[in-house]
Amino acid sequence: MAIDRLQSAARWILLLLGALIAGMILVGYLTLQAFSAGIESRDQAVLSSERTMQIRRILLSAINAETGQRGYLLTQDLDYLEPYIEGHKTYGAALAAYYEAKDGELNALQAELLPQLTALLDQKFSELDRTVDQARNGDRELAIAALGTDRGKVLLDDARKIAAVLEEEEIRILADAMGRAEATEKRARALLLFLGLAAFAVVPGMIYLFWRAMRSERAERSLALTRAAKAQTDLLAHELNHRVKNLFTIVLSLVRQSGRTTPEHAAACEVIHDRIHALSLAHAAALRSEKDNSPVKLNDLIGVLLEPYAMGQNVYEIEGADIALAPAVVTPLSLIIHELATNAVKYGAWSTDQAGVVRTLWHTEHDAETTAERIVLSWEEIGGPETDAAHIGKDGFGSRMINLSCRQINGEPSSEWLSGGLHFRLSFDNNF
């Protein structure tokens, strides 16, 4: 009987050992699967990132080419053809790079949409080529007339939609690959837990280390993907900001040239130039704020806008709390301050040879019912000439510009002409 019990115990031990060995083999198999799935998901992340970047390069090449085409048609300056030519080169190179990724392997949706995208952009480039050739051959007016149609915009908008679907498809493919890796890792962890309970006296530390290693690998992969996405976003944002600054420069140059070539419109061109310049200053302030990872401050914005006027005896004073502006407030408020400063130079405190002072003060008020924050800004001119009655209540374009900008920020303006210049008060929302 003792021998029977011993043999029975030995059989059970052998069975348990066999089960443990089989479990370890299965764990090894699942571990290999998890490792392979992890490699697959990392490779897919690299592939998706590469293809997404090439899709954006393809779109950006068309935008750059259009920017060069428009600059050349409007100015006939051959330098504007550089982005046009570079856009052609980038388009072909980006398209080839997209196909070369993973030996051109595409799923059904990608194989369907990519020819549609290239067909739209081919039409877009053909349109650009046609207008540039017309301008080169002396039909500049006909080429410029083509800019008035919306065909090019429709083509580019449709291309953007298809590109967005392709990017979403890359995200879905990457999510599926990561999901498979995650599912395999979960099965491996579950079996490891079971084996750990069966052999808790031998391998609890090994299970813990293995679990920690898998968590670390997953966290590292997630962090790497996050960093790659952030780097791509930062690159695109930098490129777009660069393009916006270039567009401001081009537009300001075109307005200035228009004033020189048509003297009868010089005054209007100068007004438009100054307003666009004010927008450019506001944009530059917003960029600096974004670069420093901080919102635009009211005192910084007013200082940037008034500094160009502080010449000779012109003086400005700023007084108020350090208030961060909502992004939607920056541009309308910049136009209002610019119009007030222009008015001070023409009629107010800065219009004479005497020392004139412009004081800008502000404070905040809170609505007890809505808890919304409103900023109350005061513009006070001191030392200006006697008020010209002809200017009181004058409803010029500058006044309409101020009223329009006030409506954009739910502002409540009031103004009064005193002997020293304009006294202007504005209460507006800062909760956008």
Side-chain angles (χ1 to χ4, degrees):
M1 296 294 295
I3 294 177
D4 291 339
R5 287 194 298 270
L6 184 60
Q7 291 176 343
S8 177
R11 286 194 297 270
W12 278 107
I13 291 174
L14 290 175
L15 287 173
L16 290 175
L17 287 175
L20 184 60
I21 293 172
M24 293 299 296
I25 293 173
L26 182 58
V27 166
Y29 172 72
L30 290 177
T31 301
L32 288 176
Q33 277 194 329
F35 182 76
S36 299
I39 294 176
E40 178 187 355
S41 65
R42 284 194 296 271
D43 292 342
Q44 184 60 52
V46 174
L47 176 62
S48 296
S49 177
E50 172 67 19
R51 283 186 167 170
T52 299
M53 181 179 68
Q54 298 307 333
I55 290 173
R56 294 177 180 177
R57 284 185 65 203
I58 289 171
L59 277 179
L60 190 59
S61 67
I63 295 172
N64 288 343
E66 184 178 54
T67 300
Q69 172 241 20
R70 290 178 181 270
Y72 174 68
L73 294 184
L74 294 174
T75 65
Q76 289 190 302
D77 187 347
L78 293 177
D79 290 341
Y80 285 107
L81 290 181
E82 293 184 6
Y84 165 78
I85 296 172
E86 184 62 27
H88 270 282
K89 295 179 180 178
T90 303
Y91 174 59
L95 189 60
Y98 183 92
Y99 276 112
E100 289 174 1
K102 205 174 180 181
D103 298 327
E105 180 182 340
L106 303 175
N107 64 18
L109 181 61
Q110 291 169 330
E112 176 186 355
L113 292 182
L114 194 60
Q116 297 179 20
L117 176 64
T118 55
L120 289 170
L121 292 179
D122 287 343
Q123 294 179 54
K124 178 66 177 177
F125 275 102
S126 295
E127 181 187 30
L128 297 177
D129 294 341
R130 177 176 54 80
T131 56
V132 170
D133 290 339
Q134 287 174 340
R136 284 172 169 171
N137 294 329
D139 292 334
R140 180 168 173 261
E141 293 183 359
L142 181 61
I144 291 178
L147 297 181
T149 66
D150 61 351
R151 172 174 170 75
K153 180 179 182 300
V154 170
L155 289 173
L156 199 55
D157 288 345
D158 291 343
R160 285 193 179 98
K161 293 176 183 178
I162 295 177
V165 175
L166 286 171
E167 290 189 25
E168 291 173 358
E169 179 65 9
E170 289 295 342
I171 293 173
R172 185 196 65 77
I173 294 172
L174 177 58
D176 289 346
M178 295 183 67
R180 290 192 297 272
E182 182 70 19
T184 305
E185 290 175 1
K186 286 181 179 179
R187 289 195 295 270
R189 285 199 300 271
L191 188 55
L192 275 174
L193 179 60
F194 172 79
L195 292 176
L197 293 175
F200 66 91
V202 180
V203 291
M206 295 178 60
I207 294 176
Y208 175 75
L209 292 177
F210 179 76
W211 177 75
R212 286 291 300 271
M214 294 182 69
R215 278 181 60 98
S216 298
E217 181 186 359
R218 188 169 64 254
E220 182 179 351
R221 182 173 64 249
S222 177
L223 180 60
L225 291 174
T226 301
R227 286 176 176 172
K230 184 179 183 303
Q232 184 69 19
T233 302
D234 291 344
L235 176 62
L236 290 175
H238 177 76
E239 180 67 20
L240 288 175
N241 286 331
H242 178 69
R243 295 297 174 188
V244 170
K245 289 173 64 178
N246 286 345
L247 285 177
F248 271 124
T249 302
I250 291 172
V251 171
L252 288 171
S253 176
L254 291 176
V255 172
R256 183 75 75 180
Q257 290 178 13
S258 299
R260 292 172 181 171
T261 55
T262 55
E264 65 274 15
H265 299 149
C269 288
E270 188 65 25
V271 171
I272 295 173
H273 179 279
D274 291 344
R275 288 183 177 127
I276 295 175
H277 182 61
L279 289 176
S280 175
L281 293 176
H283 178 73
L287 284 184
R288 286 194 298 273
S289 175
E290 181 181 351
K291 182 178 180 181
D292 298 336
N293 197 23
S294 62
V296 177
K297 300 298 181 63
L298 178 55
N299 55 340
D300 293 337
L301 179 64
I302 294 178
V304 167
L305 294 172
L306 296 186
E307 185 62 28
Y309 297 94
M311 298 179 295
Q313 300 186 61
N314 294 347
V315 176
Y316 69 89
E317 298 176 358
I318 298 176
E319 182 179 338
D322 195 15
I323 299 176
L325 294 174
V329 173
V330 175
T331 297
L333 185 59
S334 299
L335 290 174
I336 293 171
I337 297 300
H338 167 72
E339 292 298 336
L340 293 173
T342 301
N343 183 77
V345 171
K346 289 182 176 180
Y347 314 114
W350 289 341
S351 64
T352 66
D353 295 334
Q354 304 298 322
V357 179
V358 171
R359 298 183 65 219
T360 308
L361 309 93
W362 62 86
H363 63 275
T364 58
E365 293 180 351
H366 294 271
D367 191 313
E369 296 181 357
T370 64
T371 67
E373 179 187 73
R374 290 181 67 84
I375 298 176
V376 180
L377 183 143
S378 298
W379 174 281
E380 301 176 358
E381 299 181 19
I382 303 170
E386 292 296 327
T387 303
D388 185 350
H391 299 308
I392 298 178
K394 183 178 180 181
D395 188 18
F397 182 75
S399 299
R400 293 196 296 272
M401 176 69 72
I402 289 178
N403 291 333
L404 178 61
S405 299
C406 289
R407 286 197 294 270
Q408 293 178 3
I409 56 178
N410 196 21
E412 298 177 0
S414 62
S415 60
E416 180 182 9
W417 280 93
L418 301 179
S419 58
L422 177 67
H423 280 216
F424 177 84
R425 185 179 186 274
L426 174 64
S427 172
F428 61 92
D429 283 345
N430 193 35
N431 300 86
F432 287 90

